[in-house]
Amino acid sequence: MPDALIRVYLPATLPMLAALRNEGLTAAAAHAVTADLREWYAEGDEEELEYVAFTRAAQSALRLLRQDPTAPRRRVVVSADLGRAAVQRVDAELGSSMVKLTGPVPLQAVAAVHIDSADAEEDVEAAAGQVEEALAGDQDAQFAVDSAEDHELEWYDVSELDTLL
């Protein structure tokens, strides 16, 4: 019987997409619908749970942008389908969507790439500069993050990766 696939959402930056094309995408952490997330959001259906995991990956992309001031100010989330053996549970708190990957995500596993449009850059820039403060509870910083999250990430098929780069 083939290994069941798990949809994971990897936070990334535009420069990381070049690495994805050439050698696969290595991520310190990713997001998925976990048992902890299901328990925390018991009334949510599968689509709602996937959206929570996706949104958290987009917020993690802000943290990557904060670490790389040279990257274009656009959040990137890579959606990939991986076998269970490639995805490890992280000891986390109730509601966590965090997972650890056992290796790089190959291009063949990628289902789609999601990227902010150019009109989001100003809000994403502000949010990337304040995401840590927002996570620590700063209300003004949270407003900046919320403003970035008001922008929907655009969907691209993996076949469009060369065009995106």
Side-chain angles (χ1 to χ4, degrees):
M1 175 187 274
D3 194 16
L5 297 178
I6 298 172
R7 173 65 49 101
V8 295
Y9 302 98
L10 295 91
T13 62
L14 284 170
M16 291 171 73
L17 291 181
L20 168 65
R21 183 183 62 196
N22 299 326
E23 65 260 5
L25 183 60
T26 301
H31 295 268
V33 176
T34 63
D36 292 325
L37 181 58
R38 284 184 197 285
E39 186 177 344
W40 171 74
Y41 193 33
E43 70 277 0
D45 64 22
E46 195 65 24
E47 187 175 323
E48 290 170 315
L49 293 169
E50 293 281 344
Y51 185 74
V52 170
F54 176 86
T55 301
R56 290 179 179 172
Q59 189 174 67
S60 293
L62 289 174
R63 296 174 98 175
L64 292 174
L65 289 171
R66 183 175 179 143
Q67 295 167 8
D68 183 358
T70 64
R73 305 285 93 180
R74 295 186 185 183
R75 297 168 298 163
V76 177
V77 174
V78 176
S79 298
D81 296 316
L82 301 174
R84 290 194 184 281
V87 181
Q88 295 180 339
R89 184 175 179 201
V90 176
D91 288 331
E93 61 191 43
L94 184 64
S96 176
S97 61
M98 189 78 68
V99 294
K100 181 179 175 185
L101 305 180
T102 60
V105 173
L107 184 60
Q108 310 85 273
V110 175
V113 177
H114 312 269
I115 304 173
D116 273 313
S117 62
D119 68 337
E121 287 183 352
E122 187 176 321
D123 289 334
V124 170
E125 172 72 31
Q130 298 183 56
V131 64
E132 297 298 334
E133 292 82 355
L135 291 169
D138 181 309
Q139 294 298 322
D140 291 333
Q142 186 61 53
F143 180 78
V145 170
D146 290 346
S147 293
E149 289 176 353
D150 285 343
H151 297 274
E152 292 289 326
L153 278 73
E154 297 176 345
W155 180 94
Y156 295 92
D157 186 78
V158 69
S159 65
E160 298 176 276
L161 187 58
D162 287 336
T163 303
L164 292 171
L165 296 173

